[in-house]
Amino acid sequence: MNSPLFSVEQDLSNQMLAVLQRFKLWILVAAAAGALAAVLYSKTAPKYAEARAVYTLAEHKVAQLAAVYDKLPAQTSLMLGALEVDEMARFTLLLDHPQVWQQLWQNADLCQAQNTLCAGGDTSKQQQLTATWRSKFAYDHKRRGNQLTVKWRAPTPSEAELLLSAMMQSAEAEYKTQAISQYRARQADLQQALDKATTVGERSELSMQLDKVQAELNVLQHGRQMVLHAVQPLTAKEPKNKPLLFIAVVGALLSALGAILLVLVFSRR
């Protein structure tokens, strides 16, 4: 014996099938229109090449962090790997720093290669270029392996490669600027402590620390050592050809589904 609930569900199913059969022509038309619209959009939408590179900390930077690690107390839970990850995270934050983006549009290589991407000291143009290109840049810091992947999309491979290279130069420059500021503050503190020291042992220890800080400061100011090392060198790929058949099928299915929902909604009123 059929239950009332089953009968209601069967009636609804029959009504839905009847509605679909009645409007199947319109559903097919909607599917065809959706496929055509999807293909046209795919053909007219701008295509972008992509530049990509993968970085990790340079060996000299790891050695610098290891020197800090050697001074840590025994049985400490802070490992060198954690220091490296934290340092990479600090560098990654610079990729969103406003000063880095301002410096990007003043990069000498970028200005020489393409004048339209050069803003100089024009603040409004810097902001305009940042607003235009910010969405084309992406990065991902993977803590396992401590690798930073950076990507930039542009109309041509050469332009994407140029912009990504200039971006990493700008971030490196800001990293060194901030590090120099920190070392100078540390240098001033040590010098002040040295001037106030009264014992020979204390003065000797402070002098050694001051010499190391001055040596690091000289390397930052005059050396050409990079903070990052390229695990996968910067490469650029041509824009990908989108599979039109797949796009057409997806567009047709979505349009047909939308048409079916509309038909069912209006038929129930």
Side-chain angles (χ1 to χ4, degrees):
M1 184 176 180
N2 295 333
S3 66
L5 181 61
F6 180 78
S7 299
V8 171
E9 291 179 351
Q10 191 173 24
D11 290 341
L12 288 174
S13 299
N14 292 334
Q15 289 178 14
M16 290 175 62
L17 288 174
V19 169
L20 293 179
Q21 289 179 354
R22 180 182 176 186
F23 294 99
K24 62 181 179 181
L25 181 60
W26 290 105
I27 294 172
L28 290 174
V29 170
L36 181 60
V39 170
L40 289 176
Y41 176 78
S42 177
K43 295 287 286 184
T44 57
K47 297 180 180 179
Y48 291 102
E50 182 180 88
R52 182 179 184 272
V54 181
Y55 296 93
T56 190
L57 286 179
E59 291 183 4
H60 79 92
K61 194 63 187 177
V62 175
Q64 186 183 51
L65 294 174
V68 175
Y69 178 69
D70 290 340
K71 296 178 182 179
L72 295 174
Q75 306 299 327
T76 180
S77 59
L78 185 63
M79 304 299 291
L80 176 59
L83 291 175
E84 293 179 30
V85 170
D86 288 345
E87 195 66 18
M88 180 66 86
R90 287 181 62 245
F91 185 93
T92 302
L93 290 175
L94 294 177
L95 299 177
D96 286 321
H97 198 286
Q99 184 65 25
V100 171
W101 284 87
Q102 290 177 12
Q103 293 176 1
L104 170 64
W105 311 119
Q106 303 175 56
N107 182 278
D109 295 336
L110 196 61
C111 290
Q112 185 176 2
Q114 198 161 348
N115 188 51
T116 56
L117 298 176
C118 183
D122 189 343
T123 305
S124 61
K125 189 174 181 180
Q126 291 173 4
Q127 294 174 348
Q128 179 184 358
L129 287 170
T130 299
T132 301
W133 288 99
R134 181 63 187 85
S135 61
K136 307 297 188 299
F137 173 68
Y139 61 87
D140 179 34
H141 176 209
K142 293 184 178 179
R143 293 181 175 270
R144 178 171 292 182
N146 199 31
Q147 293 185 349
L148 173 65
T149 301
V150 290
K151 300 176 183 179
W152 198 300
R153 294 182 299 121
T156 64
S158 59
E159 191 174 33
E161 189 172 357
L162 181 66
L163 282 162
L164 186 57
S165 177
M167 181 62 182
M168 298 310 294
Q169 291 176 19
S170 181
E172 288 261 2
E174 181 62 23
Y175 180 96
K176 290 184 178 180
T177 298
Q178 293 186 6
I180 288 172
S181 178
Q182 293 171 358
Y183 273 106
R184 282 177 174 170
R186 177 62 175 161
Q187 183 184 38
D189 292 341
L190 288 172
Q191 186 63 56
Q192 187 177 8
L194 181 61
D195 294 338
K196 295 179 180 179
T198 56
T199 64
V200 175
E202 188 180 5
R203 291 182 63 84
S204 177
E205 176 64 24
L206 289 170
S207 295
M208 290 176 59
Q209 294 183 30
L210 185 59
D211 289 342
K212 289 181 179 180
V213 170
Q214 288 175 338
E216 291 289 346
L217 188 56
N218 287 334
V219 170
L220 284 169
Q221 289 177 320
H222 307 294
R224 293 187 176 182
Q225 290 180 319
M226 306 299 288
V227 179
L228 302 183
H229 166 72
V231 178
Q232 294 180 13
L234 197 158
T235 56
K237 296 181 179 180
E238 294 284 347
K240 294 182 180 179
N241 292 323
K242 300 177 182 178
L244 295 181
L245 178 60
F246 175 77
I247 293 172
V249 170
V250 172
L253 289 175
L254 291 176
S255 297
L257 179 60
I260 290 172
L261 291 175
L262 287 175
V263 166
L264 291 175
V265 168
F266 285 106
S267 66
R268 295 293 296 173
R269 291 185 176 182

